[in-house]
Amino acid sequence: MIVGIIGGGQLARMLALAGQPLGLEFIFIDPGTGISAASAGQHWQGEYDDPTLLRRLVAAADVATYEFENVPPATIEYLAEHMAVFPSARALDCARDRLHEKSLFARLGIPTVAHRAVNSRADLTEAVAVLGLPAVLKTRRLGYDGKGQAVLRDMADLDAAWQRFHGTDLILEAFVDFGRELSIIAARSRSGDIRFYPLSENVHDRGVLAYSRGQPADARTEEACRYMASLLRELDYVGVLALELFEVGDRLLANEMAPRVHNSGHWTIEGSETSQFENHLRAIVGWPLGNTAPLGHTALFNCVGYLPDPVAVMKIPGAHWHDYRKPVRPGRKVAHITARAADAPGLEAAITALKALLPGHVLG
Ligand code: AMP
């Protein structure tokens, strides 16, 4: 079977690497050259909405998916008219727009961050009056890794933020003084079977995920699974969905969701019986989902803007090296490391050894 993927970055690469043992083959549509996924399948170079490439994909592939939510909606709509594509256009529409996803959370009774739509300078003043300061002004669409957002700390910040972002649809969110950031990842099959991964506890550095830890025994698990299940069912979702959450006191607030495999779940490659990548493929192809049980204690480190010495990483017991084959640039995710151990002290030893190796990282 052939899977078409819109996008050829590291998520597409890891999907393909997970799918090859299952006998799947891959086509990536991506405008870039030297893309991360290049060696894992066929790279069809062109825009994500190139009509000729999309026509060819319909003819060549059995099922299509995408690795990022900023894929042009028209691409998914066209594909959905002609072939199986998952997650659905509706799921994508909700997940790509911060206002739509928060409205969905509210409709399903999932607590979310207090927010207001901002379409004018007057809206911004009014939203600040309602939500107070500090607050976070975000573009509704196309933001990722902390891009397209600014923290407003006092009234003097409003004009600069407005100048920076006006002309695009915006949302103002109350600033959440969270205790922890968590995410839950789950897969839903074509027949409606749902498998949850253990929660991940996440630490961000300047808006970019730096570190994640699998949390199989987390006290918030039941609540997070409940929210995730209601989203999956409401959207009749097929594939892997990620939900990012803030823990405030002893409750959770939904921040945003991603209709795809998620960075905070990369540890599932070694840390779970079936990785998020394999389960996404099993779901969209129409196969049964695999067991998501954790295998030991796991942590994940992103290499953002630098590549450590892989040999030094591999010398650390339990450390697994994942090189995305991307040119190193400031702020760019170019590799990750998973540390896995049979017990908590073993994981702490691996983390301590990695700390000594990784410059300028955040370790939670
Ligand atoms: P996002 O793109 O919404 O996931 O934001 C990136 C990161 O910025 C989050 O993981 C948080 O660390 C932080 N952040 C986003 N929104 C808020 C908020 N409303 N209050 C506090 N921190 C936030």
Side-chain angles (χ1 to χ4, degrees):
M1 266 211 230
I2 298 183
V3 178
I5 303 184
I6 309 299
Q10 66 265 22
L11 300 182
R13 174 186 174 86
M14 288 185 273
L15 281 166
L17 293 176
Q20 283 167 354
L22 308 180
L24 298 173
E25 292 175 41
F26 294 85
I27 296 167
F28 314 105
I29 294 183
D30 192 300
T33 51
I35 59 166
S36 177
S39 64
Q42 297 177 47
H43 175 199
W44 292 2
Q45 192 179 5
E47 294 305 321
Y48 303 119
D49 54 0
D50 182 314
T52 309
L53 290 186
L54 293 179
R55 258 197 313 277
R56 278 179 58 203
L57 193 70
V58 167
D62 298 283
V63 60
T65 189
Y66 43 92
E67 64 154 6
F68 65 123
E69 51 271 47
N70 297 324
V71 56
T75 293
I76 301 308
E77 283 154 23
Y78 172 81
L79 293 176
E81 275 173 31
H82 298 92
M83 69 187 300
V85 55
F86 301 110
S88 68
R90 179 165 169 242
L92 177 64
D93 178 61
C94 283
R96 68 193 289 273
D97 184 315
R98 292 182 189 276
L99 187 63
H100 290 182
E101 65 192 355
K102 287 195 166 62
S103 307
L104 177 65
F105 296 151
R107 195 150 51 75
L108 296 176
I110 300 172
T112 187
V113 180
H115 62 278
R116 287 275 165 137
V118 171
N119 298 315
S120 67
R121 181 64 180 81
D123 283 354
L124 180 58
T125 306
E126 197 184 312
V128 167
V130 173
L131 299 174
L133 291 175
V136 190
L137 186 66
K138 299 181 180 181
T139 58
R140 278 171 50 183
R141 290 178 289 273
L142 300 173
Y144 68 99
D145 283 350
K147 294 183 179 62
Q149 54 184 274
V151 178
L152 311 181
R153 298 197 183 277
D154 53 55
M155 294 305 281
D157 292 337
L158 269 60
D159 276 330
W162 178 253
Q163 284 310 319
R164 192 169 145 204
F165 292 128
H166 76 94
T168 164
D169 295 336
L170 299 169
I171 184 171
L172 188 76
E173 295 179 6
F175 188 88
V176 180
D177 189 15
F178 53 80
R180 294 188 299 161
E181 287 194 76
L182 298 165
S183 55
I184 179 154
I185 296 173
R188 185 168 179 271
S189 71
R190 286 203 198 184
S191 61
D193 184 26
I194 295 176
R195 300 291 168 94
F196 302 99
Y197 286 93
L199 295 189
S200 295
E201 182 176 336
N202 307 321
V203 177
H204 292 80
D205 180 15
R206 282 154 284 176
V208 182
L209 183 70
Y211 170 79
S212 272
R213 194 172 177 132
Q215 292 287 101
D218 201 280
R220 301 272 81 79
T221 299
E222 188 275 331
E223 192 182 353
C225 290
R226 206 159 16 92
Y227 298 155
M228 175 53 95
S230 68
L231 285 167
L232 291 169
R233 293 202 179 100
E234 166 66 22
L235 294 169
D236 194 16
Y237 196 89
V238 174
V240 161
L241 178 69
L243 176 64
E244 296 180 22
L245 300 150
F246 295 130
E247 184 184 48
V248 183
D250 62 356
R251 63 196 287 262
L252 295 172
L253 289 181
N255 173 27
E256 63 171 345
M257 61 185 187
R260 54 171 169 78
V261 288
H262 193 255
N263 193 170
S264 67
H266 290 1
W267 63 264
T268 62
I269 296 175
E270 291 88 8
S272 175
E273 174 94 19
T274 313
S275 75
Q276 62 164 347
F277 301 99
E278 180 172 337
N279 262 339
H280 182 71
L281 295 169
R282 289 189 185 210
I284 67 169
V285 167
W287 290 339
L289 298 178
N291 186 350
T292 50
L295 301 175
H297 296 245
T298 324
L300 159 85
F301 300 80
N302 269 345
C303 300
V304 182
Y306 71 96
L307 270 180
D309 172 11
V311 175
V313 171
M314 286 183 262
K315 278 185 184 156
I316 297 172
H320 299 267
W321 175 241
H322 296 262
D323 189 328
Y324 303 158
R325 310 298 298 147
K326 282 162 65 173
V328 178
R329 285 207 288 269
R332 197 175 204 208
K333 294 173 186 169
V334 289
H336 79 259
I337 301 163
T338 308
R340 189 189 68 194
D343 51 27
L347 182 60
E348 289 314 318
I351 289 173
T352 305
L354 281 164
K355 273 185 189 177
L357 209 64
L358 306 178
H361 57 82
V362 177
L363 283 177

